[in-house]
Amino acid sequence: MSTANEPAATAEPSLNELIAAAVAGLNEIILGKETQVRLCLACLFARGHLLIEDIPGVGKTTLAHALARSLGLSYQRIQFTSDLLPADIIGISVFEADTGQFRFHRGPVFAQLVLADEVNRATPKAQSALLEAMEEHQVTADGQTYPLTEPFFVIATQNPSYQVGTYPLPESQLDRFLMRIELGYPAASLERQLLLGRDRRDLLDELATAITPQQLLRLQGAVPQVHASAALLDYVQAVARYTRQAPEFEAGLSPRAVIALLRAAQAWALMHGHEGVLPEDVQAVLPSVVGHRLAARDDARFRDAGEIGQHVLAAVAVP
Amino acid sequence: MREPNAPSRLRGLAWVLAALAAAVGPHVPHLPAWVTLLLLAVCAWRWTADLRGTRLAPLPLRVVVVLVSTVAIFGTYRTLNGIEAGTAFLVLMAAAKLLETRTSRDLTVIVFIGWFLLYAALLREQSLSQLPWLLGSTFLTAVALMRVHASSAQAPAGHIVRRTLRLLLLAAPLALLLFLLFPRLPGPFWGIDSRTEARTGLDDEMTPGDVSDLSASGEVAFRVRFFGATPPPEQRYWRGPVLHEFDGRSWRRPSAQAFPQPQVTFRGPGIRYRITLQPHARRWVLALDLPATWPEREITQSFDLTLLSARPINNVAAFDLTSHMDFTAGASLAASMRRKDLALPLDGTNARSVALGRELATRHAGNPRAIVGELLTMFRQQPFVYTMQPPLLADNAVDEFLFDTRKGFCEHYASAFTVVMRAAGVPARVVTGYQGGEFNPFGGYLIVRQSDAHAWSEVWLEGRGWSRVDPTAAVAPERIQGSLIDAVAEDEPVPGRLRDASPLWLQVELGWDAVNDIWNQRVVRFDAQSQFDLLDRLGVDDPDWRALGLGLAGSLAVFFVVLSTYLAWRYRPPPRDWPGRLHDVVVARLRKRGLTPGPAESPVAFIERAEQACPDLARPLGDIRKLYAALRYGPSPRIDDLQRLKHAVNSLRV
């Protein structure tokens, strides 16, 4: 924690400027994925965790790394493999001969931004170690509880479940992620830029910090303060009611999911300088927030989260 | 996470299985036992498979099941058509479908099979007594469908039952309208006509024992409503098939029927009545002896004066007839007819009876009336017994009855009488039908049951034509004046002993029969003519098919307008607040520019789009958008913002 008194005369940059700078920086690294970048930031501001589901090589790791640099967060990457143990994530107590005591060696989870790569390749045991840390913001080893650093943000990436050798996350654990996004292939012209341009890793090194961790905490504190009017809450509840009644879904949105939807919409409204949350803000985040929470009864009905979102939105009138 | 391809618990499976079982219920007595057992086994198997999560049948097994059951049905019925084979086939296909029921769509298919089976039960029989079961099963099937498609697995059953009930009640007026006005096609539906199933009733052959067997049944044969006074019991002879050919034991209708139609003259007043026949799968229409008028389009009369319907009577059928008690039928007798009705077997059976006939002829010098009189006197004076349980008769049935046992039912008397008459040279024939009937005071009509089945003779007399002679009346006059129960000994198996002993039970039974009669007249027999009558009563002059179609279309339109108005009112949107109303004004104005909000487009997004589409309106629209957003979604809406929004909207010029 910073104890230094900052000079009061220094004009604090407005939240909008901070966000605009962060978005601009990230867009230089991740080409043509502005929506995903914004969703990613909104997820972070709403204190949620992010799940990226896509095939390998579309820039999941680069996005996570760029985010860490842009926000000045300490960064750790955990590659999930089928032999990963919980201790490989949270750390391990080692006997030190000179002191004659056990000392806890902190694992990679003790970072502000943790990239859990290919989370569905590890066994459920290892997965649950990470998911517990995500939920509690602390880990327990040998009866001792260690708080994690704040802000704490997990980006997990997942191969599509049709790829072989995967342990897909159960629905209850998918619910721990505020949003799930897909990156997808870049447009042809942007892919040409990638081919012609410099290596992304070199660009990463040059990426300036746009938001400090202190500013990030302030932003996170501001999100729940964004006004949500009665009309807007009506809309959110109407969406929830629809998913619970619609025959095309196995089960509707849980209350936790509805809160997540509101928080994400608030973060989105904050990022876009809206005084209060607008229905558009809900609509913008809805596919990413509900896509992994609503299981279609007929598997072939929806191709992706976007279609689920469109289906729900088209069915619910904006009040 | 469930394994891929592993079946999960299917929502509503138990309900669908129960509904299917209920729908098969009415068919069980008509299905081969193995079909029912197979379906039950598959239901039980599917249920346990659902509980345990075992895999469903693989495709090759399902194909084999379908092929084997098709062959088995074909082997049983020699066809896949018709109601019997069709029903059995449908039940087997429902069982086969259960083998591959994975999704709610599969369950929906089974639900529809269930409804179709219930419908098929109506093709078979339309009696009132099965109605509660059919209605209950229809409801259960609807509940099952609702359960399959319920939005949540946790929805309580009571809630779904109430919802289904509500939906069905909303649909009830529609069903009533379609029942009243949907054009009735003349003729049997789908040509389902050729049913071989045995029905209780008269046959075109009579062997000693047939009528007494029939008399052991208390089933209703037909009901009659007289449009005037009801004739007394001893005159109520309901004429059915006439039997001419005798082989020494059994009587039959002639196979070739090329005989001339006899001349009939009627005297005295006619008796008008409507007869409502229960299905008996034969063509004849019972009529009071002797019918004079009948609906010419549906009924013809045979050479021996039996009324024949154009088609076998497989459904409840009603006819308006007129009969005369006083008539002369066949003043002259064609030679071919005389030969037919004098013929006796040439093999020398019943020799004693034939000898008796010849003796009577010689004694009375061929005077038919005297011959008839003497034989009836013989029946009356000698110790003949009227019984439902006569001793068994061997080869010379008539001889044994007439000279040895002397115990018989009406067919014995009619048969013996006719044989002796023929031997005496008097043309004679056996008439089967019913005699008597019970008056139902609740419905004001006559019930004639199978236990009223009867057989008598007709002899041809010079100058009088064919005349009815009932030898039973000579032996047991109580049978003709009262009913069977009065005529036979107390320990004989007459149906209805219980109701005879208990007046209360008799009331209940007659009341129930009256309800059945209303059901038959008003519902089952509701045909095109009844529809035209209904329109006529509603004030349509000279109704025809066109009026019927228009009436149907019109009342359907009224029904749907009323229903949708009600639903629109029931689910009306909440009243709009001021920003909402003002936004509606903006939407209406922008429509002139060809802009309409999309289905999920929020007001703010719509106005933003309009700003880009109409740059000239960008400024006022921008103001409206900001004010709207602030009022609707902002943290602290101010009252003067609303005033400004009103002003901005009112001054918007498109």
Side-chain angles (χ1 to χ4, degrees):
Chain A
M1 288 295 280
S2 162
T3 51
N5 282 328
E6 281 165 312
T10 311
E12 184 75 359
S14 76
L15 295 177
N16 285 347
E17 286 166 11
L18 288 175
I19 293 162
V23 171
L26 287 168
N27 279 338
E28 279 181 29
I29 310 278
I30 316 290
L31 295 175
K33 299 288 173 200
E34 185 166 346
T35 318
Q36 282 89 336
V37 166
R38 280 177 184 275
L39 282 169
C40 190
L41 283 172
C43 182
L44 176 55
F45 296 157
R47 285 187 214 265
H49 302 288
L50 181 69
L51 180 65
I52 306 179
E53 187 174 286
D54 223 322
I55 52 168
V58 290
K60 290 176 293 202
T61 316
T62 314
L63 173 64
H65 208 158
L67 207 58
R69 289 225 30 123
S70 172
L71 302 176
L73 301 173
S74 63
Y75 170 74
Q76 280 287 358
R77 175 172 177 279
I78 312 173
Q79 175 61 51
F80 276 51
T81 55
S82 55
D83 54 357
L84 188 80
L85 296 174
D88 298 332
I89 300 171
I90 61 178
I92 191 164
S93 291
V94 178
F95 183 74
E96 293 192 334
D98 46 340
T99 59
Q101 280 181 333
F102 281 95
R103 208 172 77 82
F104 182 65
H105 284 254
R106 298 182 167 211
V109 79
F110 286 88
Q112 287 168 315
L113 196 159
V114 176
L115 174 66
D117 221 354
E118 303 189 57
V119 70
N120 56 342
R121 282 184 60 196
T123 56
K125 197 171 179 181
Q127 288 173 355
S128 63
L130 175 73
L131 293 160
E132 193 188 335
M134 282 164 53
E135 187 72 9
E136 312 287 335
H137 281 226
Q138 61 183 30
V139 295
T140 304
D142 299 333
Q144 183 79 34
T145 302
Y146 305 93
L148 297 174
T149 47
E150 292 289 337
F152 175 62
F153 183 48
V154 172
I155 297 179
T157 73
Q158 174 166 275
N159 296 330
S161 47
Y162 53 79
Q163 293 204 346
V164 285
T166 58
Y167 294 91
L169 292 172
E171 275 154 32
S172 61
Q173 303 211 326
L174 281 176
D175 202 29
R176 306 276 174 88
F177 291 96
L178 180 70
M179 288 187 192
R180 184 185 66 178
I181 62 172
E182 288 160 20
L183 288 175
Y185 297 112
S189 60
L190 296 170
E191 192 161 34
R192 178 64 64 92
Q193 274 191 49
L194 276 179
L195 295 172
L196 292 174
R198 292 167 55 199
D199 191 86
R200 296 290 119 182
R201 248 168 261 153
D202 298 342
L203 286 175
L204 268 178
D205 291 338
E206 293 167 14
L207 186 62
T209 303
I211 302 176
T212 66
Q214 281 73 32
Q215 286 166 335
L216 178 57
L217 285 173
R218 201 153 60 84
L219 272 165
Q220 287 184 335
V223 164
Q225 310 298 324
V226 178
H227 179 75
S229 68
L232 189 275
L233 293 178
D234 282 346
Y235 182 52
V236 171
Q237 285 186 293
V239 166
R241 202 178 315 121
Y242 173 75
T243 65
R244 288 164 192 175
Q245 287 173 352
E248 50 268 33
F249 301 119
E250 290 279 358
L253 291 177
S254 67
R256 178 159 69 181
V258 181
I259 295 171
L261 178 60
L262 179 63
R263 287 284 174 272
Q266 284 174 315
W268 191 265
L270 181 73
M271 287 172 65
H272 293 81
H274 297 153
E275 237 185 308
V277 186
L278 300 181
E280 291 91 310
D281 300 322
V282 178
Q283 295 180 345
V285 298
L286 184 104
S288 309
V289 175
V290 304
H292 58 298
R293 290 178 159 104
L294 291 177
R297 196 172 285 182
D298 181 0
D299 287 343
R301 173 83 189 261
F302 303 109
R303 217 172 34 215
D304 56 20
E307 281 192 4
I308 294 184
Q310 286 310 315
H311 176 76
V312 172
L313 290 178
V316 182
V318 181
Chain B
M1 202 77 192
R2 60 175 191 251
E3 283 177 57
N5 299 329
S8 62
R9 296 297 302 274
L10 254 182
R11 183 178 299 173
L13 179 69
W15 285 88
V16 171
L17 291 180
L20 182 62
V24 172
H27 298 286
V28 166
H30 309 273
L31 288 175
W34 63 270
V35 172
T36 313
L37 291 177
L38 191 70
L39 179 76
L40 286 180
V42 170
C43 283
W45 170 82
R46 183 64 188 86
W47 175 239
T48 43
D50 190 57
L51 284 182
R52 297 196 188 146
T54 34
R55 281 181 175 247
L56 295 185
L59 183 64
L61 177 62
R62 290 180 339 240
V63 170
V64 167
V65 166
V66 168
L67 288 179
V68 167
S69 31
T70 312
V71 169
I73 291 292
F74 200 81
T76 310
Y77 295 99
R78 306 276 154 214
T79 174
L80 294 179
N81 274 331
I83 181 161
E84 299 303 329
T87 313
F89 193 52
L90 197 58
V91 170
L92 281 185
M93 288 302 113
K97 184 73 196 164
L98 276 177
L99 294 178
E100 57 166 17
T101 312
R102 285 172 218 280
T103 63
S104 51
R105 188 180 300 173
D106 296 329
L107 285 182
T108 311
V109 169
I110 299 207
V111 162
F112 279 95
I113 293 179
W115 269 327
F116 199 85
L117 281 170
L118 289 170
Y119 175 69
L122 281 172
L123 290 180
R124 199 196 295 279
E125 193 186 342
Q126 299 114 21
S127 75
L128 182 59
S129 49
Q130 68 166 358
L131 188 68
W133 181 272
L134 291 183
L135 285 180
S137 305
T138 307
F139 180 66
L140 181 62
T141 316
V143 171
L145 187 63
M146 292 286 281
R147 194 73 200 81
V148 169
H149 293 279
S151 55
S152 140
Q154 287 84 38
H159 180 72
I160 288 183
V161 167
R162 275 196 301 278
R163 251 181 102 111
T164 314
L165 196 60
R166 198 168 146 259
L167 282 175
L168 289 182
L169 283 180
L170 281 178
L174 186 63
L176 187 67
L177 276 181
L178 289 174
F179 171 76
L180 289 177
L181 296 175
F182 193 85
R184 296 292 195 282
L185 303 172
F189 190 63
W190 283 356
I192 291 181
D193 204 43
S194 53
R195 271 178 291 162
T196 51
E197 196 184 342
R199 295 258 185 193
T200 322
L202 298 172
D203 207 347
D204 48 10
E205 182 183 324
M206 186 187 81
T207 305
D210 282 354
V211 180
S212 45
D213 285 351
L214 196 56
S215 291
S217 160
E219 270 182 53
V220 174
F222 53 91
R223 297 182 178 86
V224 184
R225 198 177 294 273
F226 289 97
F227 299 126
T230 306
E234 64 270 19
Q235 290 185 17
R236 296 201 293 254
Y237 279 85
W238 304 98
R239 215 165 171 279
V242 180
L243 311 178
H244 302 262
E245 291 181 353
F246 184 59
D247 65 358
R249 183 175 175 81
S250 302
W251 288 87
R252 283 189 194 81
R253 298 175 74 205
S255 39
Q257 308 211 338
F259 297 102
Q261 198 75 14
Q263 282 274 323
V264 185
T265 49
F266 296 102
R267 288 176 296 276
I271 299 169
R272 286 177 54 236
Y273 56 96
R274 167 173 294 177
I275 184 162
T276 310
L277 297 160
Q278 293 298 113
H280 59 72
R282 303 301 190 135
R283 282 179 59 201
W284 45 77
V285 175
L286 282 299
L288 204 56
D289 197 11
L290 185 73
T293 64
W294 50 85
E296 305 270 349
R297 273 173 41 196
E298 298 158 81
I299 291 180
T300 53
Q301 193 180 36
S302 70
F303 68 93
D304 48 17
L305 308 176
T306 304
L307 296 188
L308 293 173
S309 155
R311 288 184 207 89
I313 294 173
N314 285 325
N315 296 309
V316 174
F319 305 100
D320 284 347
L321 308 176
T322 312
S323 290
H324 288 259
M325 295 289 170
D326 194 2
F327 57 87
T328 306
S332 65
L333 188 61
S336 58
M337 194 79 253
R338 176 185 289 270
R339 258 197 316 279
K340 189 97 204 158
D341 287 336
L342 282 174
L344 285 170
L346 300 171
D347 56 3
T349 49
N350 300 315
R352 286 192 278 170
S353 309
V354 173
L356 172 68
R358 295 213 174 113
E359 186 203 324
L360 287 175
T362 12
R363 196 184 311 156
H364 295 286
N367 178 354
R369 283 164 219 246
I371 297 171
V372 169
E374 172 146 5
L375 189 55
L376 288 180
T377 312
M378 182 182 135
F379 279 138
R380 211 173 286 129
Q381 290 174 349
Q382 293 186 11
F384 278 94
V385 177
Y386 183 67
T387 173
M388 285 180 80
Q389 295 165 306
L392 281 178
L393 301 173
D395 294 338
N396 295 301
V398 176
D399 273 5
E400 287 167 40
F401 163 68
L402 214 47
F403 300 102
D404 304 335
T405 66
R406 295 189 179 177
K407 287 182 179 155
F409 204 57
C410 45
E411 70 261 39
H412 298 87
Y413 291 97
S415 172
F417 182 86
T418 311
V419 167
V420 174
M421 282 303 124
R422 285 189 179 186
V426 182
R429 56 197 189 188
V430 171
V431 182
T432 58
Y434 298 83
Q435 201 280 325
E438 179 181 27
F439 190 74
N440 187 338
F442 293 104
Y445 58 87
L446 197 72
I447 309 170
V448 179
R449 299 173 191 277
Q450 299 298 352
S451 53
D452 297 316
H454 194 51
W456 61 91
S457 297
E458 277 179 357
V459 291
W460 188 84
L461 304 175
E462 189 70 47
R464 272 197 56 192
W466 285 106
S467 315
R468 182 177 71 223
V469 180
D470 187 356
T472 309
V475 180
E478 318 83 65
R479 164 69 184 87
I480 307 305
Q481 263 135 44
S483 71
L484 182 59
I485 208 159
D486 308 316
V488 295
E490 271 184 17
D491 56 346
E492 297 208 4
V494 184
R497 284 244 186 248
L498 174 64
R499 52 191 210 111
D500 201 49
S502 150
L504 180 67
W505 180 248
L506 178 67
Q507 300 292 309
V508 169
E509 208 179 273
L510 288 177
W512 171 240
D513 193 84
V515 175
N516 267 296
D517 181 60
I518 294 173
W519 167 257
N520 281 340
Q521 300 293 345
R522 294 288 159 83
V523 182
V524 179
R525 288 287 312 143
F526 191 84
D527 56 8
Q529 191 52 49
S530 323
Q531 290 181 314
F532 293 150
D533 292 348
L534 176 74
L535 287 183
D536 197 43
R537 271 204 301 274
L538 291 175
V540 180
D541 292 331
D542 198 14
D544 56 1
W545 291 107
R546 229 173 86 94
L548 197 61
L550 284 176
L552 180 64
S555 41
L556 285 184
V558 169
F559 171 78
F560 282 115
V561 164
V562 168
L563 184 65
S564 25
T565 312
Y566 165 71
L567 290 177
W569 174 81
R570 177 84 172 65
Y571 296 101
R572 62 196 181 280
R576 297 285 268 162
D577 56 0
W578 267 109
R581 280 188 230 173
L582 290 168
H583 178 253
D584 292 344
V585 174
V586 175
V587 169
R589 299 232 171 121
L590 287 176
R591 191 159 283 149
K592 291 178 195 158
R593 291 282 185 102
L595 290 164
T596 43
E601 199 169 24
S602 81
V604 175
F606 171 62
I607 300 177
E608 207 161 9
R609 183 158 65 88
E611 283 170 42
Q612 281 154 17
C614 321
D616 54 316
L617 296 176
R619 276 205 46 203
L621 283 176
D623 289 344
I624 291 172
R625 172 171 56 86
K626 284 181 197 126
L627 287 166
Y628 180 87
L631 279 167
R632 212 72 201 285
Y633 306 111
S636 49
R638 286 175 314 191
I639 192 71
D640 56 326
D641 279 348
L642 182 59
Q643 295 305 326
R644 283 163 60 200
L645 180 60
K646 278 184 191 171
H647 181 74
V649 170
N650 287 335
S651 50
L652 182 65
R653 294 282 168 265
V654 186

